[in-house]
Amino acid sequence: MSNSTETESLPGQRFRERFPLLALVIERMLLSVLLLFAVSVLIFGGVEALPGDFASTYLGQSATPQAVANIRAELGLDRPLVTRYFEWLGGAVQGDFGTSWASRNSVSEQVGNRLGNSLFLAGFAAVIAVPLAVGLGMLSVHFRDRLPDKIINVISLAAISLPEFFIGYLLILYFAVNFGVATFPATVFEGMGLIERIKAIALPTATLVLVVLAHMMRMTRAAILSVMSSAYMETAELKGLSAWRAIVKHAAPNALAPIINVVALNLAYLVVGVVVVEVVFVYPGMGQYMVDAVTVRDMPVVQACGLIFAAVYIFLNMLADILAIVANPRLRHPR
Amino acid sequence: MNDFTKYLAGRVTAGGMNRREFMGRAMAAGLTLTAASQLFTESAEAQQPKKGGHLKLGLEGAAATDSRDPAKALSQFMFVVSRCWGDMIVEAEPLTGKPVPALAENWEPSPDAVTWTFKIRSGVKFHNGKTLTVDDIVATLRRHTDEKAESGALGVMKSIKDIKADGDNLVLTLTEGNADLPLLLTDYHLVVQPNGGVDDPNAMIGTGPYKVASFEPGVRATFEKNADDWRSDRGFVDSVELIAMNDATARIAALSSGQVHYINRVDPKTVALLKRAPTVEILSTSGRGHYVFIMHCNTAPFDNNDLRLALKYAMDRENMVKTILGGYGKVGNDFPINSTYALFPEGIEQRAYDPDKASFHYKKSGHSGSVLLRTSEVAFPGAVDAAVLYQQSAKKAGINVEVKREPGDGYWTNVWNVQPFSTSYWGGRPTQDQMYSTAYLSTADWNDTRFQRPDFDKLLLEARSELDETKRKDMYRTMAMMVRDEGGLILPMFNDFVNAASKKVKGYVHDIGNDMSNGYVATRVWLDA
């Protein structure tokens, strides 16, 4: 920030000093809005740049010049790019994402349903993966360079090295086909009981847990280890604290910031990056919906999905930063 | 036992045919009296259809963008959905492709095949309790003629000038004579709805064997048995569940783990592996779809018939079927019709791979340099591999084919029907007339070989209104020869529909009309415990 703005925005400066956290949140929110705006321009431009527009890709081989022209005229695709973008934006800021070009249904309604499914799966995977990863990380610090540490490392690295669809297929092969203990496909639908739902998503959840586990576990391990080598940990050891207690009470809080960050990244991945897992397990989530839409250039749906994904990503990152600052007061006063 | 008698036996088993009818038709198909009689007893006893059970199908082709309106049905998934809850006016017989009664009991054309009178069946009830009347049928057909309804059958309906009721009869007047009208009415979009679906096209209420219990586009559809069904030879299971499964491996896993009873679109590359599963049966049915290499007859260098013939002889068809379709297909003969069509012209010599003839015609054409072939993975599964295989077989004839791989996005807009030599795919049509009218008539939008022959066009129109089948068959033969020897079409293969089912599924009918037993799979099979 330059000097001139500092003197001019004195009340802002004072606010920032009194409520550093709140100021940060507000600043981040404003930035997020700008980011979302940029994302929407990028998506719009990107889809426009793809060869073939909605009319020609939707009709595919059966497109006749007349049919293409009819659809273009009906949807207003014959008007200039900028006009169409601002029309869409006008609706979007009022919370109206329009109707899908392909099915002529309300986008908000359909997205709501799919988003719920995606969040359910992601949430369930997170509830299992996060404590497991952090716990395993602590365990492997405790048994550093001994057999349990090595086993945990090898298994989690093996899991992250395999592509997610392959893990999915392996789980299906063993648990659904060979042993017949798990439910497959993981199709969930309206009116399905909670227990049924949880049974249905067992395999995709397991896949996601295996995929995100290693990243978080390794980061936990590395962060705690670096803290462990610091002076106050030596003191803790010297004053006779048990090793486990020293890790939980002293090392973990100081190692929280990087762990929170990597957890947030993985949570975001669980929501926005699971298209492949959704396809493999036949799970009706957002990813599959967006892919369907991109293949026919169904712009309103692509835009809505893209914005939601971006928003989830931005929100989780912001949350991670805030939590890191709360956990570590030193970050509150950037020099 | 050939396919037709097998089918007849199946109908007996399904309870749809009595002894007298069966004997007559089986003997007409060439069985002796004793053989037919024995077959009837065996079929009637051996595989009695079992009623009851819950049938689950895992199907490719559903999307969140699917519409409930049968007029707008596009996907494989919605095709089966509307077959479950709805009925057509006329159906096509599974093994001969001839029109058979459905909601119309019988029909009669005027001598010039312009005016058609259909007698509508009485005592049929819709799922909402209303009785079917001729007015519902009139309203249905009228809705599909309306441009705003965006019906997939609009092209078919354009040939109908007037739709009206006459007492209990439906009277259709055409713009010109068409002997194939009953078959045109088998189009799967033309599901009869109460008041034609004008009030609510998305209600999914019809006269079919199953009532819709729930439907979520792109996810799942469930059905319950319609207790008031007007037919007893279908709808054996109590309830049906269709699950959208767009991933090929997911479908195979679901079938082999016993979670579903039937899947569609088995990849030819993995059929051999799936076959090894002890509980699974592969169901492969001849189809009308064909993979093609198309040349524009009016664009240099393809405006030279010798070059076209050279390129036709340079195609190793047997190898294509073996490699690209894994053996699940039949070789093509450079005209778009195969034996699954009614009035198929038999006895036309099969064109074979012949490098000598290819090289002879190539030299005669005077063309030099390479020939550019454009292809893409979206043209048909394995299209790029097929183009490279073709390049190899053409090389042996001294023809240098240059293969250019185009992006899948925009292939149908920028390459197919635009560039002079490319790979493509054609689905079948209900009749020969429709196939030729769609893509070989000079004025057709989709004349993707730029085949412009006034004598061909004239013959096509004459054959359309010809009610004498022998004469018509001769005409179709002449037309097939024209396309085969002078057209721009290289047709190496017709692909089979490859589906798979659990061995518990009985009574599957190999319907030549379309994939998945012409969409009727759920209504025709039963589960053997």
Side-chain angles (χ1 to χ4, degrees), chain B residues 129 136 176 315 360 365 372 412 492:
Chain B
D136 295 313
E176 58 191 344
M315 175 65 76
F360 167 77
S365 78
L372 180 63
W412 301 116

Side-chain angles (χ1 to χ4, degrees), chain B residues 436-454:
Chain B
Y436 286 127
S437 311
T438 312
Y440 300 89
L441 187 71
S442 300
T443 51
D445 278 332
W446 298 333
N447 185 347
D448 59 5
T449 53
R450 306 285 188 272
F451 183 65
Q452 282 143 351
R453 288 277 300 264

